[in-house]
Amino acid sequence: DQQVKQNSPSLSVQEGRISILNCDYTNSMFDYFLWYKKYPAEGPTFLISISSIKDKNEDGRFTVFLNKSAKHLSLHIVPSQPGDSAVYFCAARGRGGKLIFGQGTELSVKP
Amino acid sequence: KAGVTQTPRYLIKTRGQQVTLSCSPISGHRSVSWYQQTPGQGLQFLFEYFSETQRNKGNFPGRFSGRQFSNSRSEMNVSTLELGDSALYLCASSHDWAYNSPLHFGNGTRLTVT
């Protein structure tokens, strides 16, 4: 039972353009959502989070959007840079519960 | 501030052996979680500890166990190793057990079972 899904295993974007990474969840009890970035041979690095009382959170080039009715969240990276090339994981958690991760999307930003 | 430290970074064991992995959280963090990452399964939750108590547990067999010490450091143990236990084991810490506290990960221990 995969409660958090990232349906695109990979995404390729040109440098300077927008990268949009998508994530769907099935559990309506989730109320805290996060995005992580992971380089090979390193642990995931926390990027940005959003609670269910908001529909948007912005931090520099990174913006996370939450659509609770659709159980969908997305991460926008503008402008994309070659150093953003990595695997991106979305994660979700309900109050007192464990953090559940999606399968990841590999982003490639081409110069 | 030092990040999450996991030791060892790499480990090779044979089937049937047992292994203990160690994790030192970020100073001041009291919650520690463990995850298993494999190519086909992504990040799978193992367990979460706060103040030496297990708060949550994932769907792994009893061969996987963990504990947390009074200084918040944590260990996980895998007994009777199987080939399928080969994975990257990640430890993460957070300030407390609050639901809106992000996890900060270490670089993991790469376990290979032959």
Side-chain angles (χ1 to χ4, degrees), chain A residues 43-108:
Chain A
T45 301
F46 170 68
L47 275 176
I48 191 168
S49 64
I50 187 168
S51 71
S52 59
I53 61 173
K54 295 185 174 183
D55 54 19
K56 176 183 174 181
N57 189 24
E58 197 170 349
D59 184 1
R61 297 186 298 115
F62 302 92
T63 303
V64 56
F65 294 92
L66 176 62
N67 182 334
K68 290 185 290 294
S69 60
K71 295 191 179 67
H72 177 84
L73 67 154
S74 60
L75 175 69
H76 292 208
I77 306 174
V78 184
S80 301
Q81 300 173 352
D84 296 330
S85 296
V87 178
Y88 288 78
F89 291 94
C90 68
R93 183 171 187 163
R95 190 174 290 273
K98 56 193 179 187
L99 192 61
I100 306 293
F101 283 82
Q103 298 293 89
T105 296
E106 184 170 10
L107 173 66
S108 176

Side-chain angles (χ1 to χ4, degrees), chain B:
Chain B
K1 191 184 258 190
V4 177
T5 303
Q6 291 188 247
T7 56
R9 284 299 309 274
Y10 302 93
L11 208 47
I12 300 175
K13 292 284 188 178
T14 56
R15 277 185 302 174
Q17 287 186 312
Q18 74 159 18
V19 67
T20 299
L21 311 181
S22 182
C23 173
S24 293
I26 292 172
S27 177
H29 284 193
R30 297 189 298 163
S31 179
V32 173
S33 300
W34 288 88
Y35 285 81
Q36 180 196 65
Q37 186 185 18
T38 56
Q41 298 295 320
L43 277 84
Q44 300 292 309
F45 174 79
L46 281 156
F47 20 68
E48 178 179 24
Y49 288 89
F50 179 77
S51 292
E52 302 177 68
T53 301
Q54 188 179 87
R55 298 289 179 170
N56 280 300
K57 189 176 188 306
N59 298 323
F60 279 81
R63 300 185 297 108
F64 291 81
S65 63
R67 58 178 176 168
Q68 186 180 33
F69 302 97
S70 58
N71 61 359
S72 294
R73 193 176 67 84
S74 178
E75 288 181 348
M76 68 163 281
N77 184 277
V78 188
S79 62
T80 319
L81 284 166
E82 300 177 359
L83 294 179
D85 297 334
S86 295
L88 179 67
Y89 289 88
L90 291 160
C91 169
S93 72
S94 60
H95 189 263
D96 55 35
W97 193 51
Y99 81 105
N100 59 351
S101 184
L103 301 185
H104 299 272
F105 284 84
N107 285 330
T109 294
R110 171 73 63 185
L111 172 64
T112 302
V113 182
T114 62

Side-chain angles (χ1 to χ4, degrees), chain A residues 5-21:
Chain A
K5 298 178 185 179
Q6 294 176 256
N7 293 317
S8 298
S10 62
L11 175 68
S12 184
V13 171
Q14 208 65 32
E15 181 180 5
R17 306 295 289 268
I18 184 172
S19 295
I20 300 176
L21 297 106

